[in-house]
Amino acid sequence: MLDALQVILILLFAPFLQGFIHQVKARLQGRRGASPWQPYREYRKLLGKDRLLSTSASPITRVAPVFIVGLLIAGCATLPALTSSAPLLAGGSFFVFLSLLAFARFATLMLGLDSGSAFAGMGAGRDLLFGVLTEPIVLLSLIAAGLQRAAFSFPSLLAVHASSDIWGKLPATLLVLIALLMVLIVETGRLPIDNPDTHLELTMIHEGLTLELTGRDLALIKWAAAIRQTLWFTLWLDVCLPVGIATTVAPGPLLVALLLWVGKCLLLGLVVAVLESLSAKMRIFLVPRYLSFALTLAVIAILADAAL
Amino acid sequence: MKSLHRILSIVMIAAALSLCGFGVASLASKGVDTFLYTHTVLSGSPLIFQIQATPLSGFFLIMLGIVGTLAALYGIGYGQEYKSRHYGVWLDIGLLLFIVAMALVFCADNVFTFMIAWESMSIVSYLLVVYDHEKPGVIRAGLLYVGMTQLGSAFLLTAFLILHHYTGSYDFAVFARLASSLPAGAQSVVFLCALIGFSTKAGLMPLHIWLPEAHPIAPSHISALMSGVMIKTAVFGLILVSIVWLHGAQAWWGAVVVLLGALSAIGGSFWSGQEGSFKRILAFSSIDNIGLIFIAIGVALLEWALHQPLWAAIALTSALLLAFNHALFKSTLFQGAGAVIFACHTGLLNHLGGLMRRMPVTSTGVLIALASLCALPPWGGFTSEWLLFSTLAHVSSLHLHTWVGLLTVAALLGLFATGALTLVSAVRIFGIGFLAEPRTASAAAAREVPLTMRISIAIGAMLTLLSGLMAPWIVSHIEQALPHALLGAPGLTTTIVTLLPPSVLWVIGAVILVGVLLAWLVTRSSKRPRVSLTQTWTCGGQRVPRMSYSATGLSQPVQRVFAFALVPMARQYVYRPALRVVLRTTTSFRIIQSGHVRTYLLYLFATVLLLLLIARLGGY
């Protein structure tokens, strides 16, 4: 029950977070910007529109958008947002969570390539490259966080955090924190890696994959991108800043946890928006260098675990 | 001839199914080895034909039975490709012999039987590989295969002879009893010989060079059996020698196997993302999966040597689960590749496209099997990688402060990199080969393949999904196949249940479906939106199918970033130097080859004289 509540919370909150980041960015650029509720209006507008399908598309295009959102919903059910003691899908295992996200990535790539658009192919190639680089870093960082206590699922990691001071083993935590933040920027398609606001063909990555979509399908994919972003934010908060997560299922701590989770997400959104406003887009082939730095941090975190 | 082809195929299906049933029976025998058959060929000599089914061989027989049944079923329709060659009747006979030889390898109970079965398996598979001998490059690849195989067999025979020297017997039962009491040095030599011998057959890097040449050129259901089951005979053999007989005596053995496995996993998955032909991609992906299986076996060896029988047993279980799932999805994928070649007469991804709409059954089957290859939940490939992940993570946490912990973390890094690289090859296969529009006329003319081929692919695809959903149940039966010493590890069943809880895969599948339903309900509007079809946007120009991205372009970013790794390592640093040494040695012998008959007669005379002298002095 509580698990379903967490899922619905993430699903409903995700577009707001997207709109909030947009507004902060607009403010930083000296514009007034749209209200944070704008994404919801946009989805409603898109849902009322006709669907245009490519003549070269197969049934994949018809089912993939719904399927991608479904996979991300399963992802939401694997990740604790408010409390560490509610039952989670597969016990909140790291591996299952990341496999679900990989499945969603696979479905998105299939959806993009189905139209036969060259922009989708270009975006797919780049997204695959990023996947190859980020997946090892994410799993290695997560393992580094829980290696000493054999905690390989989110609830057990939170339990470790609750029982000991995470700042007690500062070096490893700090390294994991930075590595995961660097990956988060790649995975949520933010500047300096990808620009979510551009439709300039040569720079598109995630936008290129969904260029052919219209109406209902486009609404679903935009929603999926927002959910994915919220999931990565929640993951980062669970691992690096688990302050305030309820350890029981009593209503009082849950309410506090809810407020804190929203606050922390918005704060992280603010950080991301500021980072975006401060940086120019990076050349695609400089990203491996950026990510190899994150990989090095994750490896050092493991070594720190082994040494301390 | 067509009816003969059908009769042979049905006989084969019956044989494979009975092998499967026999495997189930020996697996269910609760650890009791079933004595089968013995026949003395020449009394007073080691030439005794003796077979016996253990629970471990039962497990591999089930695998062989399933893949063999599907291959035979597929072969019925595939025979049309060989109309001019009597519908491939000789191919059927070869396939039957191949299945029987592999079954004998799993059941052999002494050196004589094992080597006979092993060699017949190799020779029959060589003949099957060169079945399409008129195509360019086939003979050469076949020779490379048979050469590498013989190299491997030589090492295996050496291992057996050393064991015979110390135990005085050729019986596997005696080896199992006495091998663990051999001197440490001899044990290590036996282990290394077995490792080299078996990893040649398995296609482990750097002994893999024959695999991407030989597997793709064989008729596709043969490739399915070779990749699905034949390379697993090596896994079976390595488990038999290093774990059942030698009890994983020394920790460094495990380390060597883990490192070679990680090398293979990363290298295989990387190269599979760069190849352009469907079947070569699959062949490299087999190298990758064999690498993962070897990582698991290596961890089992390591943990047994470090007196952690519980984790040794779990690692071995995950090795067997990996092998089982790989057999299912890889044979389905090879059959799918065969169907594509059957329909389009090409397997090059850049010449395909648009097959999803022209061959819906085959394409859906390939897509489902690819999901298992990519380890997507809740497919079979996912369950085995999840179990391997949990095993590696717990083992590295257990030995965190020693080199073992770092070694397993390195293996974990290999597992993660492999997972992401596999996605590259899967996206290329399906996204380029099956989606969008056909790039050539032959792909545009593609039609669905004969019914038996479709049925075989569909059953295979269903099995890859089912083996995921039923994984906890399968694992509980794999436990029965573990060697006696590991079977009794305390807490084995309870630990595995916590790592892979029963019904968890059903729950994951159900939650995904509920999510899909939810997303569908949310976006369903009261009035049905109009759907209209248009061309894909091409910036206003006239669209031609060649405008869609190619497989080469899709993997270009990965290729560019890892350009430094694009060196044919094994060829450049292992095989060329080795070949040079052989050539140099043989050239130096040329001095005594004068070409005159008189000289050779002198050599003969001298040799006979020498032998007589030795016999005289030695007192024989």
Side-chain angles (χ1 to χ4, degrees):
Chain A
M1 191 61 213
L2 200 62
D3 190 29
L5 208 68
Q6 283 190 147
V7 172
I8 291 169
L9 183 70
I10 296 179
L11 294 182
L12 292 181
F13 178 68
F16 182 83
L17 186 60
Q18 188 84 303
F20 173 76
I21 295 176
H22 267 275
Q23 201 194 26
V24 173
K25 271 172 68 183
R27 288 281 162 86
L28 287 171
Q29 290 162 359
R31 296 184 285 122
R32 235 176 65 212
S35 108
W37 303 101
Q38 185 63 23
Y40 300 93
R41 294 177 196 138
E42 206 173 314
Y43 299 165
R44 211 188 58 202
K45 178 191 80 182
L46 286 171
L47 284 179
K49 296 215 169 204
D50 287 355
R51 289 171 80 191
L52 274 181
L53 290 178
S54 164
T55 42
S56 54
S58 68
I60 299 270
T61 300
R62 288 169 184 267
V63 295
V66 190
F67 208 75
I68 292 165
V69 174
L71 286 166
L72 290 174
I73 290 176
C76 296
T78 321
L79 196 63
L82 305 183
T83 168
S84 56
S85 51
L88 292 168
L89 181 58
S93 152
F94 295 157
F95 193 77
V96 175
F97 175 74
L98 290 167
S99 299
L100 286 166
L101 287 196
F103 199 169
R105 183 200 293 274
F106 180 73
T108 316
L109 293 170
M110 287 301 145
L111 174 63
L113 289 170
D114 197 21
S115 65
S117 159
F119 300 122
M122 207 181 292
R126 291 169 181 178
D127 195 39
L128 280 172
L129 171 66
F130 291 170
V132 168
L133 297 169
T134 53
E135 262 178 44
I137 304 174
V138 178
L139 270 163
L140 215 56
S141 315
L142 289 177
I143 284 188
L147 193 54
Q148 286 187 335
R149 303 285 190 84
F152 304 117
S153 67
F154 293 107
S156 56
L157 189 62
L158 286 172
V160 170
H161 283 335
S163 67
S164 69
D165 181 16
I166 63 165
W167 300 105
K169 31 173 202 139
L170 190 65
T173 313
L174 203 61
L175 292 167
V176 168
L177 184 149
I178 300 171
L180 278 181
L181 186 64
M182 291 175 80
V183 170
L184 178 139
I185 288 172
V186 179
E187 286 289 337
T188 53
R190 295 273 159 203
L191 278 171
I193 309 302
D194 185 12
N195 189 348
D197 304 326
T198 184
H199 272 99
L200 184 63
E201 291 85 348
L202 292 177
T203 60
M204 285 188 296
I205 299 170
H206 294 107
E207 290 292 316
L209 283 168
T210 55
L211 203 61
E212 288 297 314
L213 298 183
T214 49
R216 192 201 76 163
D217 302 331
L218 187 58
L220 277 166
I221 283 295
K222 278 180 177 284
W223 189 29
I227 300 171
R228 230 165 80 92
Q229 172 171 281
T230 315
L231 282 178
W232 278 105
F233 275 35
T234 312
L235 180 145
W236 191 85
L237 293 173
D238 276 346
V239 177
C240 307
L241 200 63
V243 189
I245 284 195
T247 46
T248 57
V249 288
L254 272 183
L255 198 65
V256 175
L258 172 67
L259 290 176
L260 269 172
W261 176 70
V262 171
K264 285 189 291 183
C265 276
L266 294 181
L267 196 69
L268 189 55
L270 194 73
V271 172
V272 168
V274 171
L275 283 178
E276 269 207 309
S277 304
L278 288 178
S279 46
K281 193 170 175 311
M282 197 183 276
R283 269 179 60 216
I284 297 278
F285 291 105
L286 287 181
V287 176
R289 245 185 252 178
Y290 165 92
L291 282 174
S292 60
F293 181 65
L295 180 65
T296 315
L297 293 182
V299 170
I300 298 175
I302 294 264
L303 292 177
D305 272 340
L308 296 177
Chain B
M1 274 303 167
K2 196 171 180 178
S3 51
L4 182 59
H5 164 63
R6 289 217 168 131
I7 292 168
L8 275 172
S9 301
I10 290 165
V11 168
M12 231 176 326
I13 292 175
L17 279 177
S18 49
L19 273 182
C20 204
F22 184 65
V24 171
S26 27
L27 189 59
S29 63
K30 298 282 173 212
V32 184
D33 299 343
T34 333
F35 189 67
L36 281 181
Y37 179 73
T38 172
H39 173 78
T40 311
V41 180
L42 187 66
S43 55
S45 74
L47 305 187
I48 303 166
F49 185 76
Q50 186 169 321
I51 54 178
Q52 182 184 41
T54 59
L56 184 66
S57 55
F59 170 74
F60 281 90
L61 282 178
I62 295 173
M63 202 151 83
L64 172 66
I66 295 173
V67 178
T69 309
L70 292 179
L73 182 63
Y74 182 90
I76 298 179
Y78 201 68
Q80 288 185 17
E81 188 89 344
Y82 299 109
K83 252 182 202 156
S84 58
R85 297 174 72 180
H86 315 301
Y87 289 91
V89 167
W90 283 107
L91 190 63
D92 294 334
I93 294 170
L95 186 60
L96 188 59
L97 289 177
F98 188 34
I99 293 177
V100 170
M102 282 194 284
L104 283 182
V105 168
F106 292 136
C107 296
D109 197 36
N110 63 13
V111 173
F112 173 69
T113 320
F114 186 89
M115 285 317 285
I116 291 281
W118 186 263
E119 287 298 291
S120 10
M121 175 180 85
S122 302
I123 290 165
V124 172
S125 62
Y126 162 71
L127 292 174
L128 292 171
V129 162
V130 297
Y131 186 73
D132 291 325
H133 56 84
E134 71 284 352
K135 291 186 188 154
V138 169
I139 297 286
R140 199 184 135 80
L143 280 178
L144 177 66
Y145 168 49
V146 87
M148 289 299 286
T149 282
Q150 289 311 305
L151 181 79
S153 302
F155 276 98
L156 287 187
L157 204 56
T158 315
F160 288 139
L161 289 178
I162 296 171
L163 280 170
H164 169 69
H165 176 77
Y166 283 99
T167 57
S169 167
Y170 286 107
D171 250 10
F172 280 7
V174 178
F175 288 173
R177 218 171 40 243
L178 298 180
S180 51
S181 55
L182 254 61
Q187 280 185 340
S188 294
V189 175
V190 168
F191 166 75
L192 284 178
C193 285
L195 179 65
I196 296 173
F198 286 124
S199 54
T200 313
K201 190 50 123 190
L204 195 75
M205 279 185 179
L207 293 165
H208 67 285
I209 53 158
W210 62 272
L211 198 150
E213 307 297 325
H215 283 207
I217 55 173
S220 289
H221 52 313
I222 307 297
S223 316
L225 262 177
M226 286 176 74
S227 253
V229 186
M230 190 186 76
I231 58 176
K232 310 292 164 40
T233 59
V235 172
F236 170 77
L238 189 68
I239 292 176
L240 194 68
V241 175
S242 62
I243 294 182
V244 180
W245 296 351
L246 294 174
H247 295 208
Q250 290 170 43
W252 66 266
W253 298 357
V256 169
V257 177
V258 168
L259 284 177
L260 286 176
L263 175 76
S264 239
I266 297 177
S269 56
F270 175 72
W271 281 101
S272 82
Q274 302 299 325
E275 285 293 336
S277 114
F278 197 166
K279 286 177 82 174
R280 276 182 73 91
I281 293 177
L282 296 180
F284 270 109
S285 141
S286 290
I287 297 176
D288 149 24
N289 279 280
I290 276 292
L292 293 182
I293 296 171
F294 271 63
I295 288 179
I297 295 178
V299 171
L301 284 170
L302 204 58
E303 288 304 286
W304 203 352
L306 298 171
H307 309 293
Q308 302 276 358
L310 172 63
W311 288 105
I314 293 174
L316 197 58
T317 309
S318 71
L320 294 176
L321 188 63
L322 280 163
F324 184 70
N325 282 318
H326 178 247
L328 292 181
F329 68 70
K330 193 49 67 66
S331 70
T332 310
L333 285 173
F334 263 117
Q335 293 189 353
V340 168
I341 294 171
F342 186 95
C344 308
H345 301 287
T346 177
L348 292 175
L349 293 182
N350 285 343
H351 292 183
L352 299 172
L355 300 181
M356 182 73 194
R357 286 189 300 171
R358 286 169 181 78
M359 304 166 66
V361 178
T362 309
S363 306
T364 313
V366 168
L367 182 62
I368 292 173
L370 278 178
S372 189
L373 170 76
C374 293
L376 301 180
W379 268 265
F382 165 75
T383 56
S384 43
E385 287 197 14
W386 188 14
L387 190 58
L388 180 61
F389 164 79
S390 307
T391 313
L392 287 174
H394 280 100
V395 167
S396 57
S397 171
L398 195 66
H399 303 283
L400 183 58
H401 302 291
T402 62
W403 60 272
V404 180
L406 290 182
L407 183 77
T408 38
V409 168
L412 271 176
L413 193 60
L415 175 67
F416 304 151
T418 303
L421 285 165
T422 308
L423 204 65
V424 179
S425 43
V427 167
R428 287 172 89 230
I429 289 177
F430 205 78
I432 304 295
F434 290 79
L435 296 180
E437 293 144 359
R439 291 176 180 76
T440 52
S442 53
R447 292 251 207 81
E448 208 33 296
V449 289
L451 183 67
T452 47
M453 288 167 74
R454 268 180 285 163
I455 293 177
S456 168
I457 292 172
I459 295 176
M462 286 299 112
L463 286 178
T464 60
L465 181 57
L466 209 62
S467 76
L469 294 171
M470 308 289 284
W473 179 77
I474 296 174
V475 164
S476 69
H477 287 273
I478 288 180
E479 281 172 35
Q480 302 299 322
L482 294 180
H484 298 306
L486 291 180
L487 194 56
L492 176 61
T493 314
T494 48
T495 315
I496 285 193
V497 165
T498 56
L499 296 181
L500 202 66
S503 80
V504 68
L505 280 312
W506 288 101
V507 176
I508 292 178
V511 169
I512 294 175
L513 284 183
V514 168
V516 170
L517 197 68
L518 193 67
W520 181 71
L521 283 176
V522 167
T523 52
R524 200 180 61 132
S525 53
S526 51
K527 76 169 175 67
R528 218 178 143 74
R530 249 199 353 254
V531 177
S532 32
L533 294 175
T534 58
Q535 226 176 32
T536 299
W537 186 59
T538 52
C539 307
Q542 181 62 42
R543 182 168 171 78
V544 286
R546 285 246 161 215
M547 278 181 179
S548 12
Y549 232 50
S550 68
T552 328
L554 197 65
S555 56
Q556 189 266 351
V558 177
Q559 192 200 51
R560 182 166 160 180
V561 168
F562 295 99
F564 62 90
L566 279 170
V567 198
M569 293 281 184
R571 268 166 212 273
Q572 199 158 329
Y573 297 111
V574 182
Y575 291 95
R576 293 234 177 92
L579 194 65
R580 265 203 300 278
V581 170
V582 170
L583 284 179
R584 208 176 295 149
T585 328
T586 44
T587 357
S588 64
F589 275 104
R590 207 187 273 163
I591 306 165
I592 59 167
Q593 304 279 1
S594 63
H596 296 296
V597 180
R598 289 164 296 179
T599 336
Y600 291 105
L601 281 175
L602 181 68
Y603 292 158
L604 274 178
F605 182 66
T607 313
V608 169
L609 210 63
L610 192 70
L611 285 175
L612 284 174
L613 259 174
I614 290 173
R616 184 77 187 168
L617 297 175
Y620 286 108

